[in-house]
Amino acid sequence: MDPLSLAGVALALVAIIGGSILKGAGVAALMSAAAFMIVIMGTVAAILVQTPVAVMKRALAIGAWVFRPPQHTPELVIEKMISWGNISRKQGLLGLEPLLEQEPDPFLRKGLQLVVDGSEPETIRSILEVEMQTHETADLQAAKVYEGMGIYSPTLHWEMAILFISKARSSIGRCLTVRVG
């Protein structure tokens, strides 16, 4: 678990609940169905309008990374590559073929497949660089979904505040009309 993400979520909850209490609205004010519809549903709707399906699927898939980022262990990759080099020296490149099914990492599996197939080193490098760039681009687009939520949610919060202020003003106006009339 990422301790900074947990601390951020905890601090956000304290700020929201504490702000509501300090304002005098209490915690019950946070349970408003109208507020939920405007802020949460409005944010989700705005994101759905601007996001392609493939990007949304990727965003949902990487959402857990906030609390449990993917683990990268370069030492293990280096050990694997040294082992693969030793096997290929002893048995040739085809000696690596049984390892393809055992490799859990799709990127490493693709690279190993290219080696077993006898591709040239520059071709392997080029293919894997394109693979990395494509994956990085997809992840960045998916991350922008969450960035968009952060942008739209406060905006919708202000719209909700304006809505409630105008509602309060109209209620005050009706009260004055009743008193005068």
Side-chain angles (χ1 to χ4, degrees), residues 3-179:
L4 290 178
S5 295
L6 291 174
V9 169
L11 185 59
L13 289 173
V14 167
I16 291 169
I17 293 169
S20 181
I21 291 170
L22 289 173
K23 185 180 175 189
V27 179
L30 297 174
M31 304 302 169
S32 166
F36 177 82
M37 289 298 291
I38 292 170
V39 176
I40 304 300
M41 298 301 287
T43 300
V44 171
I47 291 299
L48 290 175
V49 166
Q50 77 169 18
T51 307
V53 173
V55 174
M56 183 58 78
K57 285 181 181 178
R58 183 69 187 149
L60 293 173
I62 69 170
W65 290 4
V66 171
F67 300 104
R68 193 177 301 273
Q71 299 297 316
H72 299 288
T73 50
E75 299 83 16
L76 293 176
V77 174
I78 292 169
E79 286 178 26
K80 282 182 185 183
M81 290 186 169
I82 291 170
S83 171
W84 295 344
N86 291 334
I87 291 170
S88 68
R89 271 191 295 282
K90 292 176 186 173
Q91 303 173 17
L93 293 178
L94 291 177
L96 297 171
E97 196 165 22
L99 300 176
L100 286 169
E101 294 176 11
Q102 299 170 4
E103 180 54 51
D105 185 328
F107 182 76
L108 290 177
R109 187 173 42 248
K110 185 171 195 163
L112 188 58
Q113 180 69 59
L114 291 167
V115 168
V116 169
D117 290 345
S119 300
E120 292 295 321
E122 279 307 309
T123 303
I124 295 171
R125 177 187 299 268
S126 176
I127 290 171
L128 292 180
E129 283 178 352
V130 168
E131 180 83 15
M132 281 191 324
Q133 289 171 350
T134 303
H135 204 65
E136 181 181 3
T137 300
D139 288 347
L140 287 173
Q141 286 177 334
K144 286 189 182 286
V145 169
Y146 296 105
E147 181 181 342
M149 285 181 177
I151 291 168
Y152 289 131
S153 188
T155 303
L156 291 169
H157 176 73
W158 280 107
E159 289 174 8
M160 180 181 74
I162 291 167
L163 177 75
F164 286 138
I165 289 170
S166 66
K167 176 83 168 157
R169 282 186 179 164
S170 70
S171 295
I172 292 170
R174 272 188 263 129
C175 289
L176 290 175
T177 305
V178 170
R179 285 188 188 162

